[in-house]
Amino acid sequence: MAMSVRDLTPFFAPRSLAVVGAGERASSSGGAIMQMLRRAGYGGRVVPVNPRGGEIFGYQAVTSIAAVDPPVDLAVIVIRPDAILDAVKESADRGIRNLLILPGGFAEAGPPGIARNEALLKLAAERGLTIAGPNCAGIVHLDPKWRFAATFLRDLPPGANANGLAFISQSGALAEEVIDKANARGLPLASVVSVGNAVHLGVEDYLAWLGERPEIGAALLYVESIEDHERFRSVARQVAAHKPVIALFGGRTAIGARAAAAHTGAVANDDAAIDAFCASCGIVRVESLRRLLVAAKAFGRFPQGVGKRTLILSNSGGPGVICADRAALEGLELGPLPKAMADVLRQQLPAEASVANPIDLLADAREDRFALAFEAAMAHAAKDYDQVLMIHVVPFMVDAGPVIGRLAQLAAGALLPVMHSMMGTLPDKAEWFATMERAGVPMFNDVEEMAEAAGLLGRYPALRENARNGVLPTAFFRDRRRV
């Protein structure tokens, strides 16, 4: 049965909105929202609401919600907590049914906050409202066709023209960190959701809607607590049947679980329970923020994942060995070279080169040797492997520029997915990395991290097939615990 998906268009692509508490001061919440709308290039109608009126960031403000005429698709509320209930009621009176509430002071804020939260839920039920938040950092959705950002996070992600990444987080601080790393590493992050208290919209609601967006190629999650496990599983499996869902679950240790309980009210879990739950959901699980970012790099380029059969092509023995070790630990398969490929390499490589998997072209390999191995792999091994991991150490006697130029040319038309790692002192690193990235090759400083990325890509195809076929893994039935 197809899942029921809430229409969250008013929260991700509203054609009109009111900012309740708008201001000119960039250091204020209302000023930050106005500034980020402008930076995102939002093209819809914006109505600042401020008792002083006047002009705010080039928009004519109104002095009350009642003066918002006509009603807007979304009200973004950034005023002090004790005034929020009145603003919600005024929004409902004005015919505004969708509200994004950023300030805290609700269920997380002790008895007064709990009472305010109950009053908010009662009011929303009576008036037919849908609320995102409260106690969140906002929503960013950089769809190339309609860019939107209602957030007081400090920066916007890079965005993407296609196959963008979405990050749905139960931590605003982690949302900020992932945006920062996406900009630093060129990750195609297009959507960021800070879930907050989730009085109406939880992780699964956002996942269901974003999972149907053609501009989103993969979803990243940070999760500490889940209210409705069966609905979450149903949503995750239906999304994972078509595009990858990668999740970092917080609170997998005793100390972390106590911290998660204090943060979001999460129930204690352990690694085995989380593993079983993720497998039952079709989710690619990662155990650290670092690996979540590695997954973002990999799935941002190869959103449908790849198979596990892997060829390592290196010009250095040691890095090839540690890459092979990590690849094996990640569950990748490093099968022997096909005979035709091995024959070509033995005939043309120096006798000292290692014609095996990993291939070792020797440290003094230049563009001719790299090209020989690459072309031999495409001509004779494209049916034997699912991906190629290349390792390039740059010794002082070799000019890496021509090597990079030739590899980028070949990779652009490769028959297999390719990733590349460069190690050592790299005087023109930025230029070399950019050249390969433009050719569609994810670049890494660390061979082990590249192997981790390949391993994460290799997990998804089986999870996708299980999700499509309605298969629950055996581990799920052995370990149906608390997640």
Side-chain angles (χ1 to χ4, degrees):
M1 181 182 296
M3 63 187 177
S4 174
V5 179
R6 287 180 186 256
D7 181 12
L8 300 187
T9 303
F11 293 93
F12 287 87
R15 265 37 186 182
S16 59
L17 64 90
V19 180
V20 182
E24 282 278 2
R25 187 163 49 87
S27 59
S28 68
S29 297
I33 298 295
M34 297 298 296
Q35 182 171 270
M36 294 309 256
L37 285 167
R38 173 175 285 183
R39 285 186 57 190
Y42 176 67
R45 172 176 161 238
V46 179
V47 183
V49 180
N50 185 298
R52 290 189 294 272
E55 190 174 279
I56 298 176
F57 279 88
Y59 297 99
Q60 186 61 45
V62 297
T63 58
S64 68
I65 296 171
V68 177
D69 188 27
V72 292
D73 294 338
L74 176 69
V76 181
I77 298 179
V78 280
I79 56 179
R80 66 181 192 272
D82 63 316
I84 288 176
L85 289 176
D86 287 339
V88 171
K89 183 179 178 182
E90 290 169 19
S91 297
D93 290 342
R94 190 66 196 91
I96 302 169
R97 294 287 177 262
N98 302 293
L99 300 98
L100 171 59
I101 303 176
L102 280 76
F106 289 82
E108 83 289 353
I114 291 171
R116 187 179 294 125
N117 194 73
E118 291 174 353
L120 177 65
L121 286 169
K122 183 174 183 292
L123 177 59
E126 291 171 348
R127 305 300 296 271
L129 309 179
T130 301
I131 295 171
N135 190 32
C136 71
I139 294 174
V140 178
H141 188 59
L142 302 183
D143 179 350
K145 298 177 182 177
W146 191 262
R147 292 168 60 90
F148 172 70
T151 179
F152 46 59
L153 295 170
R154 290 179 178 270
D155 204 355
L156 295 176
N161 291 325
N163 292 325
L165 300 170
F167 181 45
I168 305 166
S169 178
Q170 288 184 331
S171 164
L174 287 188
E176 184 120 54
E177 175 68 6
V178 169
I179 289 172
D180 177 68
K181 292 299 186 290
N183 283 310
R185 303 179 186 187
L187 307 179
L189 183 63
S191 295
V192 178
V193 179
S194 170
V195 176
N197 290 4
V199 296
H200 284 159
L201 303 179
V203 172
E204 62 271 28
D205 296 294
Y206 296 114
L207 177 60
W209 192 86
L210 287 166
E212 291 191 340
R213 298 306 102 201
E215 66 272 18
I216 298 299
L220 311 172
L221 312 179
Y222 173 69
V223 179
E224 290 179 9
S225 61
I226 298 169
E227 292 295 324
D228 186 338
H229 299 85
E230 292 306 317
R231 182 164 183 265
F232 183 97
R233 180 181 293 110
S234 175
V235 168
R237 287 178 67 82
Q238 292 192 57
V239 174
H242 302 285
K243 57 188 67 175
V245 181
I246 305 100
L248 170 61
F249 276 73
R252 64 192 181 99
T253 66
I255 292 174
R258 288 198 296 271
H263 184 210
T264 61
V267 176
N269 293 293
D270 58 35
D271 267 337
I274 295 170
D275 269 342
F277 183 73
C278 286
S280 76
C281 294
I283 286 174
V284 179
R285 183 197 174 194
V286 295
E287 296 82 11
S288 67
L289 178 59
R290 184 189 66 80
R291 279 179 70 95
L292 186 70
L293 292 166
V294 169
K297 180 84 168 180
F299 286 103
R301 176 63 184 89
F302 304 114
Q304 288 305 305
V306 299
K308 294 186 175 184
R309 300 174 304 166
T310 303
L311 171 65
I312 300 175
L313 195 168
S314 176
N315 71 332
S316 182
V321 170
I322 63 173
C323 183
D325 279 343
R326 175 48 56 187
L329 291 170
E330 295 290 334
L332 298 176
E333 301 164 6
L334 272 61
L337 302 182
K339 183 178 184 301
M341 180 181 176
D343 288 346
V344 168
L345 297 181
R346 288 194 181 97
Q347 291 166 12
Q348 300 189 53
L349 289 177
E352 298 85 0
S354 177
V355 180
N357 189 10
I359 298 169
D360 182 1
L361 300 175
L362 305 177
D364 62 350
R366 290 172 168 80
E367 61 270 21
D368 56 346
R369 215 178 286 171
F370 271 98
L372 166 68
F374 193 97
E375 290 176 324
M378 296 303 132
H380 302 292
K383 295 182 179 179
D384 297 275
Y385 298 108
D386 299 308
Q387 59 183 323
V388 179
L389 307 184
M390 297 194 299
I391 302 169
H392 185 190
V393 175
V394 185
F396 73 93
M397 78 289 278
V398 176
D399 181 0
V403 177
I404 290 296
R406 184 71 175 124
L407 285 176
Q409 182 183 45
L410 292 170
L415 300 175
L416 295 173
V418 177
M419 292 190 280
H420 191 70
S421 174
M422 297 187 75
M423 300 184 68
T425 302
L426 306 173
D428 295 311
K429 174 182 173 180
E431 179 184 341
W432 295 337
F433 273 48
T435 297
M436 293 295 282
E437 294 272 2
R438 283 194 297 269
V441 179
M443 293 293 290
F444 297 85
N445 294 305
D446 181 334
V447 297
E448 291 180 293
E449 195 166 271
M450 178 174 66
E452 288 180 63
L456 292 167
L457 289 171
R459 294 181 193 180
Y460 175 58
L463 290 166
R464 178 181 61 219
E465 291 310 304
N466 285 345
R468 288 178 178 175
N469 298 326
V471 176
L472 286 172
T474 302
F476 172 64
F477 295 102
R478 286 200 309 265
D479 200 355
R480 293 189 72 173
R481 285 186 269 179
R482 294 177 299 270
V483 177

